[in-house]
Amino acid sequence: VLMLAHDFPATQAGAVFLPFTLVMAVLSRVSGRLADRIGPRPLLAAGPAIAGMAFLALIPAVREGDFWFALVPAMALLGMGMGLAIPPLSTVIMAAAGETRAGIASAINNAVARMSGLVAVAALGLLAAIVYGQSLTLAGPDLIGSEMPETVRAALSQSSFAVQPEVAGIAGPFDRAIQDASRQARLD
């Protein structure tokens, strides 16, 4: 979305994950020690709550596209939530399994983490494609009215996540209107 809707260069769009990574790396070490001192429960409650707030903060941040004052703070907050939750969670899992089953517990923990990530990406990708398609289909007729040729209507009704007039084989006065509708649909 950052690259397609806000014209971020690839390096800047990728750099959005840097605050997440740095904060998570620093806090992981701290939260492990803190969990030893106060127990894992407070961190296992606070970490996901902070991560949830970060995801809520990302909604307007991505929509607005302000790198320094919206995206970076939201991603740092997400790193904070994950950094507080993941080390104590791993410790609790390993402690519950015991020494004789530590290897199996670690493998299951890693497999579940990877699979849940894959399922989440697939589900959110599907949701994004559906919302994008609906938004683009609904916006198309309003933007270019009754003069819209059948080829444009077909392209909008069968929209993909990256519809562009050049890709759809549509040229002419509707290029800009479709690009604008596509950009807005990505933000919806």
Side-chain angles (χ1 to χ4, degrees):
V1 170
L2 296 176
M3 290 171 57
L4 296 173
H6 294 297
D7 297 324
F8 277 29
T11 53
Q12 188 177 12
V16 164
F17 291 96
L18 200 55
F20 168 79
T21 305
L22 293 174
V23 171
M24 186 174 167
V26 169
L27 270 182
S28 291
R29 188 176 181 141
V30 173
S31 68
R33 284 192 214 127
L34 191 58
D36 290 341
R37 208 173 320 134
I38 66 170
R41 282 187 184 186
L43 298 174
L44 290 175
I50 293 170
M53 288 188 295
F55 282 119
L56 289 175
L58 277 170
I59 295 168
V62 169
R63 189 172 211 27
E64 184 167 322
D66 186 336
F67 186 80
W68 290 109
F69 296 105
L71 293 167
V72 168
M75 291 302 285
L77 189 63
L78 182 59
M80 182 179 178
M82 299 300 267
L84 287 175
I86 290 177
L89 178 62
S90 297
T91 302
V92 167
I93 290 169
M94 299 305 286
E99 285 185 34
T100 59
R101 295 196 172 134
I104 293 171
S106 178
I108 291 171
N109 184 35
N110 286 331
V112 168
R114 301 305 172 262
M115 289 300 296
S116 61
L118 292 172
V119 170
V121 167
L124 290 176
L126 177 63
L127 178 64
I130 290 169
V131 169
Y132 173 81
Q134 289 294 329
S135 180
L136 190 59
T137 301
L138 294 173
D142 293 338
L143 287 172
I144 47 187
S146 61
E147 300 173 16
M148 182 170 49
E150 187 56 39
T151 55
V152 177
R153 286 184 203 277
L156 290 174
S157 68
Q158 298 177 4
S159 61
S160 69
F161 201 72
V163 70
Q164 294 294 328
E166 318 79 60
V167 175
I170 302 164
F174 301 103
D175 288 357
R176 189 70 198 156
I178 294 171
Q179 287 175 353
D180 290 344
S182 180
R183 182 179 302 254
Q184 183 58 43
R186 286 185 186 104
L187 292 173
D188 288 345

